[in-house]
């Protein structure tokens, strides 16, 4: 099966988790706080040790060099980190794609990171992972610090990216209405594993 | 050379006692440590004096190798003890010790066989002090650098992982931290070389002059030693940081801070 497949994944003594996301599909993921949503995303991005298999277009993660895997299976953490003074130093691309739809221009690259608002950081972090042209997006509350207008902009942009590139998206959201808007299927994370439910 | 009598040393010890009393009055909490360290100095140096006396009387490669090994293990223990967050298991000791072995021993043997050219090359009168100076300085450099690397990696783990998420390799993700650690390991010897003769007279040269050597002979030895120390520290710190940076990650380029022990007080 093409897309992202997870088979009997165990991480941090939780699991087994199994799920499949087809190319171009967006699946929402909910779960109580502490249910391990972020840990699951970290394991899929191969940032934490885990058992079980993760496949991208039928290729197991173990057969792809880890840095390469993370470029293709991109994790957008709830809180992004910035380690240089200027925004542009975090981008390998001088004209990052998807910069304009997110409300940024080339001058943004010279902005000081210390002056960014949390909403700007969140949108820039999204632009930053899209530079790698990932095949899978793992989004951990990607609109938590955004105002209503920007929430819709980001939702539309991710949907466009998905349709243009055939990327599979796993979207963690606390907001049931957002989950219903963006996802075609809805998953619930519990202690026993992953359960599908209707919106 | 003017030999020192027991009375001379007692006078100097009196100064340390006075300082300890002052610290006790001011409640600095240093007097105990100061007295223990002072006692250790007397005992350890007297012992090594006796060992060296015996060693110089019987020049034997096995004896020199034996004492070198003891010095190396003591230095390795010291590096480990100075880490806020050291590596768990055998690595905590082996990393610094291995790096010191490679750099200090190689440089000492090189210096003994080519530059100083003693006969035999392991003549303890030269081999032991030379190795001691190299080990002592390399030890400080490695201890500083490793401590800097592991504590910074711990503090900046979110940043390191963010860079991994964006597709950085483990070496890329820790490159700046490793460079900083390298700098802090090398800074003492670079400062010492830059300030030598201007701010202070280096210890070994001072000792040789006190013992009656012509100043220019003492200077030549000091220059040799400083160059050996900077090379030894450089190679030692590089090796230790290379091992440690690799060890902080696993083969899937995951940051594995679980390989570090918790902080020490």
């Amino acid at each position: 099966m093409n897309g992202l497949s997870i088979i009997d994944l165990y991480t941090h003594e939780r699991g087994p988790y199994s799920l499949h996301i087809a190319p171009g599909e967006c699946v929402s993921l909910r779960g109580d706080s502490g249910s391990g949503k972020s840990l699951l995303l970290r394991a899929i991005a191969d940032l934490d040790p885990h058992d079980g298999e993760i496949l991208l277009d039928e290729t197991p993660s173990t057969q792809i060099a880890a840095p390469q895997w993370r470029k293709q299976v991109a994790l957008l953490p709830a809180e992004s980190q910035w380690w240089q003074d200027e925004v542009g130093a975090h981008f390998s691309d001088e004209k990052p794609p998807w910069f304009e739809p997110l409300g940024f221009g080339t001058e943004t690259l010279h902005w000081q990171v210390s002056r960014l608002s949390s909403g700007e950081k969140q949108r820039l972090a999204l632009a930053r992972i899209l530079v790698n042209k990932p095949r899978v997006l793992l989004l951990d509350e990607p609109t938590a610090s955004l105002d209503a207008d920007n929430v819709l902009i980001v939702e539309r942009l991710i949907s466009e990216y998905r349709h243009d590139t055939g990327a599979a998206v796993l979207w963690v959201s606390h907001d049931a209405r957002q989950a219903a808007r963006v996802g075609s299927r809805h998953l619930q994370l519990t202690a026993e594993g992953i359960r599908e439910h209707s919106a | 050379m003017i030999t020192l009598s027991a009375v001379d040393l007692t006078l100097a010890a009196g100064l340390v006692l006075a300082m300890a009393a002052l610290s006790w009055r001011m409640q600095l909490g240093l007097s105990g440590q100061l007295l223990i360290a002072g006692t250790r100095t007397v005992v350890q140096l007297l012992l090594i004096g006796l060992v060296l006396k015996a060693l110089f009387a019987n020049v034997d490669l096995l004896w020199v190798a034996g004492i070198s090994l003891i010095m190396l293990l003591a230095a390795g223990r010291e590096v480990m003890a100075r880490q806020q967050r050291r590596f768990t298991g055998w690595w905590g000791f082996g990393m610094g010790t291995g790096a010191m072995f490679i750099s200090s021993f190689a440089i000492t043997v090189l210096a003994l066989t080519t530059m100083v050219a003693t006969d035999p090359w392991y003549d303890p009168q030269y081999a032991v002090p030379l190795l001691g100076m190299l080990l002592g300085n390399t030890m400080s450099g490695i201890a500083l650098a490793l401590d800097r690397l592991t504590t910074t990696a711990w503090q900046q783990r979110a940043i390191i992982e963010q860079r991994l998420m964006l597709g950085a390799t483990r070496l890329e993700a820790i490159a700046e931290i490793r460079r900083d650690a390298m700098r802090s390991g090398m800074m003492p010897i670079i400062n010492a070389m830059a300030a030598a003769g201007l701010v202070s007279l280096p210890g070994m040269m001072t000792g040789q002059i006190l013992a009656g050597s012509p100043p220019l002979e003492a200077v030549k030895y000091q220059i040799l030693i400083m160059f050996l120390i900077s090379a030894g520290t450089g190679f030692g710190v590089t090796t230790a940081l290379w091992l440690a940076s690799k060890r902080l990650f696993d083969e899937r380029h995951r940051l594995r801070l679980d390989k570090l022990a918790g902080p020490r007080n």
Side-chain angles (χ1 to χ4, degrees), chain A residues 129-183:
Chain A
I129 62 167
L130 293 183
V131 170
N132 286 335
K133 300 186 178 66
R135 311 284 324 282
V136 177
L137 292 177
L138 308 169
L139 308 174
D140 197 348
E141 301 272 4
T143 60
S145 349
L146 302 185
D147 56 44
D149 288 345
N150 276 313
V151 169
L152 291 180
I153 288 174
V154 165
E155 285 179 7
R156 199 176 319 129
L157 180 131
I158 291 172
S159 152
E160 248 174 70
Y161 179 79
R162 193 156 57 83
H163 287 120
D164 287 6
T165 64
V169 178
L170 182 58
W171 189 315
V172 171
S173 178
H174 275 303
D175 179 354
R177 279 174 304 174
Q178 181 177 54
R181 273 200 308 273
V182 300

Side-chain angles (χ1 to χ4, degrees), chain B residues 34-71:
Chain B
L34 192 62
L35 291 178
I36 291 173
T39 314
R40 279 186 63 169
T41 303
V42 174
V43 174
Q44 288 166 198
L45 290 184
L46 280 179
L47 277 177
I48 195 68
L50 291 175
V51 170
L52 288 180
K53 196 177 162 193
L55 214 54
F56 292 177
N58 323 279
V59 176
D60 181 13
L61 182 55
L62 265 182
W63 280 107
V64 176
I67 193 150
S68 305
L69 185 68
I70 293 172
M71 289 160 69

Side-chain angles (χ1 to χ4, degrees), chain A residues 11-199:
Chain A
T11 181
H12 290 275
E13 290 157 20
R14 294 161 194 262
Y17 303 121
S18 296
L19 68 93
H20 173 253
I21 307 175
E25 189 185 22
C26 180
V27 174
S28 80
L29 179 69
R30 285 161 67 189
D32 302 331
S33 66
S35 59
K37 301 183 294 286
S38 301
L39 290 179
L40 174 62
L41 296 195
R42 282 175 61 93
I44 300 175
D46 208 358
L47 278 169
D48 281 339
H50 54 82
D51 288 325
E53 248 190 324
I54 309 171
L55 304 103
L56 177 61
D57 297 339
E58 296 179 353
T59 310
S61 61
T62 46
Q63 286 182 21
I64 301 176
Q68 216 48 45
W69 176 263
R70 292 185 196 119
K71 281 183 182 174
Q72 295 182 24
V73 181
L75 170 58
L76 183 69
E79 197 180 330
S80 63
Q81 300 292 330
W82 304 81
W83 57 93
Q84 304 276 14
D85 293 345
E86 278 193 8
V87 169
H90 302 84
F91 285 83
S92 50
D93 205 322
E94 278 177 26
K95 280 191 177 160
W98 309 97
F99 228 42
E100 273 168 45
L102 283 166
F104 301 115
T106 42
E107 76 283 356
T108 309
L109 294 173
H110 299 295
W111 288 1
Q112 294 293 308
V113 165
S114 54
R115 296 206 184 150
L116 295 177
S117 71
S118 53
E120 284 167 339
K121 270 189 195 168
Q122 195 151 35
R123 285 180 289 140
L124 282 168
L126 177 63
R128 187 169 59 174
I129 62 167
L130 293 183
V131 170
N132 286 335
K133 300 186 178 66
R135 311 284 324 282
V136 177
L137 292 177
L138 308 169
L139 308 174
D140 197 348
E141 301 272 4
T143 60
S145 349
L146 302 185
D147 56 44
D149 288 345
N150 276 313
V151 169
L152 291 180
I153 288 174
V154 165
E155 285 179 7
R156 199 176 319 129
L157 180 131
I158 291 172
S159 152
E160 248 174 70
Y161 179 79
R162 193 156 57 83
H163 287 120
D164 287 6
T165 64
V169 178
L170 182 58
W171 189 315
V172 171
S173 178
H174 275 303
D175 179 354
R177 279 174 304 174
Q178 181 177 54
R181 273 200 308 273
V182 300
S184 52
R185 282 191 298 135
H186 309 283
L187 303 177
Q188 175 97 28
L189 196 63
T190 65
E192 289 80 46
I194 296 175
R195 192 160 57 78
E196 196 150 335
H197 67 95
S198 56

